[in-house]
mmCIF file of all heavy atoms in Angstrom:
data_model
loop_
_atom_site.group_PDB
_atom_site.id
_atom_site.type_symbol
_atom_site.label_atom_id
_atom_site.label_comp_id
_atom_site.label_asym_id
_atom_site.label_seq_id
_atom_site.Cartn_x
_atom_site.Cartn_y
_atom_site.Cartn_z
ATOM 1 N N GLU A 1 51.183 94.190 121.824
ATOM 2 C CA GLU A 1 51.976 93.022 121.922
ATOM 3 C C GLU A 1 53.047 93.004 120.876
ATOM 4 O O GLU A 1 53.049 93.877 119.958
ATOM 5 C CB GLU A 1 51.154 91.720 121.801
ATOM 6 C CG GLU A 1 50.471 91.707 120.426
ATOM 7 C CD GLU A 1 49.446 90.499 120.310
ATOM 8 O OE1 GLU A 1 49.728 89.448 120.962
ATOM 9 O OE2 GLU A 1 48.479 90.592 119.628
ATOM 10 N N VAL A 2 53.931 92.026 120.893
ATOM 11 C CA VAL A 2 55.119 92.058 119.963
ATOM 12 C C VAL A 2 54.582 91.716 118.505
ATOM 13 O O VAL A 2 53.823 90.797 118.368
ATOM 14 C CB VAL A 2 56.242 91.105 120.448
ATOM 15 C CG1 VAL A 2 55.754 89.707 120.391
ATOM 16 C CG2 VAL A 2 57.436 91.227 119.537
ATOM 17 N N ALA A 3 55.077 92.464 117.600
ATOM 18 C CA ALA A 3 54.834 92.144 116.101
ATOM 19 C C ALA A 3 55.992 91.525 115.540
ATOM 20 O O ALA A 3 55.974 90.593 114.832
ATOM 21 C CB ALA A 3 54.369 93.368 115.424
ATOM 22 N N PHE A 4 57.237 92.077 115.757
ATOM 23 C CA PHE A 4 58.451 91.624 115.220
ATOM 24 C C PHE A 4 59.589 91.738 116.296
ATOM 25 O O PHE A 4 59.565 92.719 117.054
ATOM 26 C CB PHE A 4 58.946 92.435 114.032
ATOM 27 C CG PHE A 4 58.013 92.479 112.895
ATOM 28 C CD1 PHE A 4 57.178 93.519 112.662
ATOM 29 C CD2 PHE A 4 57.986 91.334 112.023
ATOM 30 C CE1 PHE A 4 56.190 93.430 111.609
ATOM 31 C CE2 PHE A 4 57.034 91.420 110.915
ATOM 32 C CZ PHE A 4 56.222 92.374 110.687
ATOM 33 N N ALA A 5 60.380 90.694 116.430
ATOM 34 C CA ALA A 5 61.528 90.645 117.230
ATOM 35 C C ALA A 5 62.718 90.207 116.445
ATOM 36 O O ALA A 5 62.704 89.083 115.939
ATOM 37 C CB ALA A 5 61.394 89.779 118.425
ATOM 38 N N VAL A 6 63.714 91.035 116.206
ATOM 39 C CA VAL A 6 64.775 90.759 115.223
ATOM 40 C C VAL A 6 66.105 90.968 115.936
ATOM 41 O O VAL A 6 66.335 91.919 116.657
ATOM 42 C CB VAL A 6 64.635 91.686 113.983
ATOM 43 C CG1 VAL A 6 65.824 91.543 113.087
ATOM 44 C CG2 VAL A 6 63.364 91.560 113.344
ATOM 45 N N LYS A 7 67.033 90.012 115.740
ATOM 46 C CA LYS A 7 68.406 90.123 116.269
ATOM 47 C C LYS A 7 69.301 90.940 115.333
ATOM 48 O O LYS A 7 69.305 90.728 114.198
ATOM 49 C CB LYS A 7 68.987 88.675 116.440
ATOM 50 C CG LYS A 7 68.366 87.883 117.471
ATOM 51 C CD LYS A 7 68.912 86.523 117.517
ATOM 52 C CE LYS A 7 68.118 85.605 118.453
ATOM 53 N NZ LYS A 7 68.615 84.203 118.462
ATOM 54 N N ALA A 8 69.904 91.900 115.935
ATOM 55 C CA ALA A 8 70.842 92.771 115.115
ATOM 56 C C ALA A 8 71.940 93.205 116.050
ATOM 57 O O ALA A 8 72.229 92.650 117.079
ATOM 58 C CB ALA A 8 70.019 94.007 114.629
ATOM 59 N N ARG A 9 72.725 94.191 115.577
ATOM 60 C CA ARG A 9 73.890 94.772 116.382
ATOM 61 C C ARG A 9 73.627 96.223 116.258
ATOM 62 O O ARG A 9 72.957 96.825 115.491
ATOM 63 C CB ARG A 9 75.197 94.344 115.751
ATOM 64 C CG ARG A 9 75.279 92.843 115.688
ATOM 65 C CD ARG A 9 76.655 92.344 115.544
ATOM 66 N NE ARG A 9 77.559 92.573 116.632
ATOM 67 C CZ ARG A 9 77.661 91.800 117.759
ATOM 68 N NH1 ARG A 9 76.834 90.803 117.898
ATOM 69 N NH2 ARG A 9 78.572 92.091 118.694
ATOM 70 N N THR A 10 74.303 96.965 117.276
ATOM 71 C CA THR A 10 74.151 98.398 117.305
ATOM 72 C C THR A 10 74.689 99.122 116.077
ATOM 73 O O THR A 10 74.250 100.255 115.715
ATOM 74 C CB THR A 10 74.744 99.011 118.626
ATOM 75 O OG1 THR A 10 76.163 98.512 118.640
ATOM 76 C CG2 THR A 10 74.085 98.644 119.837
ATOM 77 N N VAL A 11 75.603 98.530 115.326
ATOM 78 C CA VAL A 11 76.176 99.066 114.194
ATOM 79 C C VAL A 11 75.468 98.767 112.888
ATOM 80 O O VAL A 11 75.672 99.325 111.828
ATOM 81 C CB VAL A 11 77.667 98.723 114.000
ATOM 82 C CG1 VAL A 11 78.551 99.309 115.198
ATOM 83 C CG2 VAL A 11 77.804 97.250 113.928
ATOM 84 N N ASP A 12 74.457 97.795 113.023
ATOM 85 C CA ASP A 12 73.662 97.349 111.826
ATOM 86 C C ASP A 12 72.594 98.468 111.474
ATOM 87 O O ASP A 12 72.094 99.188 112.325
ATOM 88 C CB ASP A 12 73.033 96.156 112.132
ATOM 89 C CG ASP A 12 73.852 94.914 112.202
ATOM 90 O OD1 ASP A 12 75.046 95.083 111.778
ATOM 91 O OD2 ASP A 12 73.459 93.912 112.707
ATOM 92 N N LYS A 13 72.215 98.420 110.208
ATOM 93 C CA LYS A 13 71.018 99.165 109.730
ATOM 94 C C LYS A 13 69.880 98.260 109.815
ATOM 95 O O LYS A 13 69.926 97.055 109.574
ATOM 96 C CB LYS A 13 71.255 99.485 108.298
ATOM 97 C CG LYS A 13 72.368 100.461 107.972
ATOM 98 C CD LYS A 13 72.593 100.694 106.523
ATOM 99 C CE LYS A 13 73.811 101.549 106.310
ATOM 100 N NZ LYS A 13 74.013 101.710 104.898
ATOM 101 N N VAL A 14 68.777 98.708 110.345
ATOM 102 C CA VAL A 14 67.544 97.954 110.442
ATOM 103 C C VAL A 14 66.532 98.440 109.463
ATOM 104 O O VAL A 14 66.237 99.614 109.388
ATOM 105 C CB VAL A 14 66.991 97.998 111.923
ATOM 106 C CG1 VAL A 14 65.704 97.165 112.075
ATOM 107 C CG2 VAL A 14 68.015 97.620 112.854
ATOM 108 N N LEU A 15 66.031 97.590 108.634
ATOM 109 C CA LEU A 15 65.058 97.931 107.542
ATOM 110 C C LEU A 15 63.619 97.738 108.006
ATOM 111 O O LEU A 15 63.310 96.668 108.559
ATOM 112 C CB LEU A 15 65.361 97.078 106.330
ATOM 113 C CG LEU A 15 66.839 97.090 105.754
ATOM 114 C CD1 LEU A 15 67.042 96.097 104.635
ATOM 115 C CD2 LEU A 15 67.202 98.502 105.470
ATOM 116 N N PHE A 16 62.844 98.729 107.786
ATOM 117 C CA PHE A 16 61.413 98.573 108.039
ATOM 118 C C PHE A 16 60.649 98.767 106.798
ATOM 119 O O PHE A 16 60.650 99.862 106.131
ATOM 120 C CB PHE A 16 60.998 99.745 109.060
ATOM 121 C CG PHE A 16 61.651 99.665 110.483
ATOM 122 C CD1 PHE A 16 62.871 100.211 110.675
ATOM 123 C CD2 PHE A 16 60.988 99.007 111.444
ATOM 124 C CE1 PHE A 16 63.503 100.104 111.891
ATOM 125 C CE2 PHE A 16 61.583 98.924 112.746
ATOM 126 C CZ PHE A 16 62.839 99.460 112.979
ATOM 127 N N PHE A 17 59.850 97.705 106.411
ATOM 128 C CA PHE A 17 59.309 97.691 105.080
ATOM 129 C C PHE A 17 57.635 97.943 105.374
ATOM 130 O O PHE A 17 57.196 97.343 106.224
ATOM 131 C CB PHE A 17 59.384 96.448 104.377
ATOM 132 C CG PHE A 17 58.797 96.461 102.963
ATOM 133 C CD1 PHE A 17 59.273 97.324 102.023
ATOM 134 C CD2 PHE A 17 57.739 95.674 102.627
ATOM 135 C CE1 PHE A 17 58.784 97.294 100.722
ATOM 136 C CE2 PHE A 17 57.241 95.629 101.343
ATOM 137 C CZ PHE A 17 57.697 96.481 100.365
ATOM 138 N N ALA A 18 57.027 98.961 104.713
ATOM 139 C CA ALA A 18 55.741 99.351 105.030
ATOM 140 C C ALA A 18 54.741 99.068 103.848
ATOM 141 O O ALA A 18 55.145 98.724 102.772
ATOM 142 C CB ALA A 18 55.715 100.830 105.250
ATOM 143 N N THR A 19 53.464 99.061 104.106
ATOM 144 C CA THR A 19 52.370 98.758 103.153
ATOM 145 C C THR A 19 52.415 99.858 102.054
ATOM 146 O O THR A 19 51.861 99.544 100.974
ATOM 147 C CB THR A 19 51.018 98.743 103.867
ATOM 148 O OG1 THR A 19 50.816 100.011 104.581
ATOM 149 C CG2 THR A 19 50.903 97.614 104.814
ATOM 150 N N ASN A 20 52.995 101.016 102.209
ATOM 151 C CA ASN A 20 53.052 101.950 101.022
ATOM 152 C C ASN A 20 54.194 101.542 100.082
ATOM 153 O O ASN A 20 54.393 102.379 99.186
ATOM 154 C CB ASN A 20 53.138 103.372 101.593
ATOM 155 C CG ASN A 20 54.425 103.549 102.424
ATOM 156 O OD1 ASN A 20 55.191 102.606 102.623
ATOM 157 N ND2 ASN A 20 54.648 104.745 102.908
ATOM 158 N N GLY A 21 54.938 100.502 100.335
ATOM 159 C CA GLY A 21 55.974 100.038 99.398
ATOM 160 C C GLY A 21 57.269 100.772 99.614
ATOM 161 O O GLY A 21 58.235 100.471 98.891
ATOM 162 N N LYS A 22 57.372 101.459 100.754
ATOM 163 C CA LYS A 22 58.630 102.134 101.062
ATOM 164 C C LYS A 22 59.394 101.407 102.158
ATOM 165 O O LYS A 22 58.790 100.612 102.990
ATOM 166 C CB LYS A 22 58.376 103.562 101.570
ATOM 167 C CG LYS A 22 57.904 104.516 100.605
ATOM 168 C CD LYS A 22 57.928 105.955 101.121
ATOM 169 C CE LYS A 22 57.689 107.024 100.180
ATOM 170 N NZ LYS A 22 57.768 108.326 100.649
ATOM 171 N N CYS A 23 60.770 101.539 102.082
ATOM 172 C CA CYS A 23 61.613 100.940 103.038
ATOM 173 C C CYS A 23 62.285 101.999 103.828
ATOM 174 O O CYS A 23 62.852 102.962 103.112
ATOM 175 C CB CYS A 23 62.640 100.033 102.343
ATOM 176 S SG CYS A 23 63.629 99.036 103.499
ATOM 177 N N TYR A 24 62.243 101.976 105.168
ATOM 178 C CA TYR A 24 62.852 102.920 106.072
ATOM 179 C C TYR A 24 64.052 102.378 106.700
ATOM 180 O O TYR A 24 63.962 101.212 107.036
ATOM 181 C CB TYR A 24 61.774 103.407 106.995
ATOM 182 C CG TYR A 24 60.537 103.990 106.372
ATOM 183 C CD1 TYR A 24 59.447 103.196 106.057
ATOM 184 C CD2 TYR A 24 60.491 105.356 106.121
ATOM 185 C CE1 TYR A 24 58.305 103.714 105.442
ATOM 186 C CE2 TYR A 24 59.420 105.914 105.528
ATOM 187 C CZ TYR A 24 58.268 105.027 105.221
ATOM 188 O OH TYR A 24 57.129 105.588 104.575
ATOM 189 N N THR A 25 65.039 103.087 106.972
ATOM 190 C CA THR A 25 66.328 102.628 107.574
ATOM 191 C C THR A 25 66.675 103.317 108.743
ATOM 192 O O THR A 25 66.701 104.647 108.720
ATOM 193 C CB THR A 25 67.441 102.660 106.500
ATOM 194 O OG1 THR A 25 67.090 102.127 105.337
ATOM 195 C CG2 THR A 25 68.736 102.063 107.098
ATOM 196 N N ILE A 26 66.899 102.650 109.891
ATOM 197 C CA ILE A 26 67.389 103.242 111.094
ATOM 198 C C ILE A 26 68.561 102.344 111.626
ATOM 199 O O ILE A 26 68.479 101.108 111.606
ATOM 200 C CB ILE A 26 66.343 103.320 112.158
ATOM 201 C CG1 ILE A 26 65.124 104.107 111.675
ATOM 202 C CG2 ILE A 26 66.831 103.865 113.525
ATOM 203 C CD1 ILE A 26 63.893 104.111 112.574
#
């Protein structure tokens, strides 16, 4: 099921924050 649904744009960076304290960018 859905955990997160976020509005963005194709040119935006999307940040994914994890339990290991790291932030990933796509």
Side-chain angles (χ1 to χ4, degrees):
E1 60 185 331
V2 66
F4 299 101
V6 177
K7 293 177 185 175
R9 302 197 70 80
T10 52
V11 295
D12 290 346
K13 296 175 185 174
V14 181
L15 306 175
F16 295 86
F17 187 66
T19 53
N20 60 358
K22 285 188 175 185
C23 187
Y24 303 90
T25 307
I26 301 175

